[in-house]
Amino acid sequence: QSTSQDQSLPVALAFVLKHEQRRSKYLPSDDLDLSFISERWRRLVVEQRGEEQVLSRVHLEVCIFTYLAAELKTGDISVAGSEQYADFREQLLSWEECEHDLASYGIQSGLPVTAESFVAALKQQLTEVAQTVDQICQDGSQITINEVGAPVLKRLVAEVKPSGADELEAKIWERLPERSVLDILCNVEYWLNWTRHFGLASGSEAKIDQPTERYILAVFGYGCNLGPYQTARHTRGLINGQMLSRINRLHIQTSQIEAAIRELINAYNLLPLPKCWGTGKRAAADGSKFQIHENSLMSEYHIRYGGYGGIAYHHVSDTYIALFTHFITCGVWEAVYILDGLLKNSSDIQPDTLHADTQGQSLTVFALSYLLGIKLMPRIRNWQDYTFFRPSPEAVYKYIDPLFTDVVDWKLIQTHWQDLIRVTLSIQAGKLMPSTILRRLGSNSRKNRLYQTFQALGQVVRTLFLLQYISDRALRQEITACTNIVEGYHNFLDWLFFGKQGVLTDHDPEEQEKRLKYLDLVASAVIFQNTVDISAAVRSLVEEGHKVDRELLSTLSPYLTRHLKRYGDYVVDLTTIPEPLDLAVSLPIEIAQELSQ
């Protein structure tokens, strides 16, 4: 069904279906409306045979299905009853429903709740920021404009490690106990009892013996990609592959794994040491390619990474713990899912600032994140190729004027302000996810006015960010540091996902994403244990008289693997009791007082 008044494509599709049994080379034109096709397509589809105008059947079919695929992506065509291609307008709140929530939305977001005041405030903000940045950049310490008007940003100087950081790291390495991944899962189970989230959905089926041990083995086998049967071979006959497979299918669902991960994140957030690494108010999103078989439904060829696979899109906190993971195809623009991870994250760590790379941003994402109260601050490659927008044609700047090449369309934003608010409040009400609307707004549509409005708002928001980006060296360093954390997390996962040479062998897309949830659970447990062990090492060093402060601790990372064992017999041992958690994570009094301040 068409989502606009233009019915030419559905009519053309009905025409093709009417003649689907014909095998002749040409079809009669029947005055078919082909106004939606380009001139190049028209030259292929329409032919003149004598005085009669006919249609090339094969070319017409290819043409119509090409346009159909494009308009399904932009939302100009919908499929009734579909989840991915439904008419998104039917999922939105009515304006009458939105009016009841406008006041609370204004308080929560800090944005004006009328079209005129919204545009006026945004215009004033852009005007003030541009004038301020123009003054900051005049001394040439942040950015220079060469003789041809091209901007050149000053290169960041790598931060120097504080004196004693390398010595502290070496001393901690000496004190870290050697552990296997399975031992770590057992220790964290003893502290947090995370396996309680697993079990049969219904109590009518028979329970299993030793459920805790078997759940831990299943998480280890699937999380490290060994699979059920290879894991069973290393358990000295304690369990067979069929039982592990049954546990995965019946006892452990994706939502249950997410609940266990949330348990670990919340416990990790209570530890004192991660406060030295970040505030939890920032997160970074980035994708990592996982290899899957070419004939899998999710498999696509990735030009940048090479080879067939899918993308695990991670949201990682500035405290090093992963908050959420999506599994998407290689052909999807990563920015479509960048906001979903924050909204689906239900842990105690709730970031309000989101970093990414160039793949994690677009004009529509900037606009939607602004309306949702999320500060999008990506690390953009070739930022000077993007257009800066003036608040008005009369706005002229002494130093940065060459950056501005266009003017904001304030009238478009004001005219369709209600549509922007309907989308925003519908997302907050849980009617649809950001990825649903971003898929519809990810490509330029001939008919979608909402897309053009989001583009106009995104032009303002991205210009504001770029102005801050070029004038604030500290901001650029923060963005680089946070995005480096998520890249370190990818390397950490590669080390843990050692089975089957890192290839996801299952063909079911839901099972593939489930495997990555298992991996996140294992990674969170190892990060938790490493943080506990580092805390214990720091405590012993201070007791021995070594000077350790917050600045030195901030240089450490829980992505440690040198002391871990991946291979050997896999035996669950719940009889060895670890040190009490309260004592294990405590830091010296001096550091604890500094953190509390």
Side-chain angles (χ1 to χ4, degrees), residues 136-156:
I136 293 174
C137 293
Q138 283 188 30
D139 61 4
S141 62
Q142 298 280 355
I143 185 175
T144 58
I145 310 291
N146 61 25
E147 58 278 2
V148 296
V152 180
L153 198 61
K154 297 293 185 180
R155 185 180 296 274
L156 288 176

Side-chain angles (χ1 to χ4, degrees), residues 142-325:
Q142 298 280 355
I143 185 175
T144 58
I145 310 291
N146 61 25
E147 58 278 2
V148 296
V152 180
L153 198 61
K154 297 293 185 180
R155 185 180 296 274
L156 288 176
V157 179
E159 292 187 358
V160 180
K161 274 189 176 183
S163 177
D166 291 334
E167 292 80 358
L168 174 63
E169 185 177 354
K171 288 183 173 64
I172 289 176
W173 274 118
E174 295 172 359
R175 287 164 172 75
L176 291 181
E178 189 178 72
R179 303 185 188 278
S180 71
V181 176
L182 202 55
D183 290 339
I184 289 174
L185 291 174
C186 293
N187 286 347
V188 179
E189 163 62 21
Y190 175 81
W191 289 323
L192 305 180
N193 188 25
W194 52 267
T195 59
R196 74 181 187 278
H197 296 284
F198 302 153
L200 291 167
S202 171
S204 61
E205 297 189 44
K207 305 295 189 295
I208 61 174
D209 297 329
Q210 299 178 306
T212 301
E213 289 87 340
R214 296 185 177 192
Y215 290 156
I216 291 175
L217 282 171
V219 169
F220 171 75
Y222 284 98
C224 294
N225 204 35
L226 289 168
Y229 293 95
Q230 192 62 237
T231 302
R233 291 182 60 190
H234 293 269
T235 60
R236 300 178 184 173
L238 293 179
I239 195 170
N240 59 51
Q242 187 176 6
M243 173 58 74
L244 285 176
S245 179
R246 178 181 174 83
I247 289 172
N248 171 61
R249 287 183 288 107
L250 301 181
H251 291 253
I252 304 178
Q253 307 304 320
T254 300
S255 59
Q256 295 171 312
I257 302 175
E258 291 175 349
I261 293 173
R262 183 170 59 249
E263 182 87 20
L264 265 69
I265 295 174
N266 292 343
Y268 179 81
N269 191 45
L270 297 176
L271 303 182
L273 185 56
K275 305 297 187 297
C276 298
W277 298 328
T279 63
K281 289 300 182 181
R282 294 178 178 271
D286 194 20
S288 176
K289 178 180 157 302
F290 278 76
Q291 186 178 350
I292 54 182
H293 292 309
E294 185 177 342
N295 58 348
S296 170
L297 286 173
M298 290 287 289
S299 181
E300 288 186 1
Y301 190 85
H302 199 292
I303 296 176
R304 185 154 52 107
Y305 293 109
Y308 285 85
I311 298 294
Y313 198 56
H314 304 289
H315 287 70
V316 181
S317 167
D318 60 356
T319 59
Y320 288 92
I321 195 80
L323 304 177
F324 202 84
T325 295

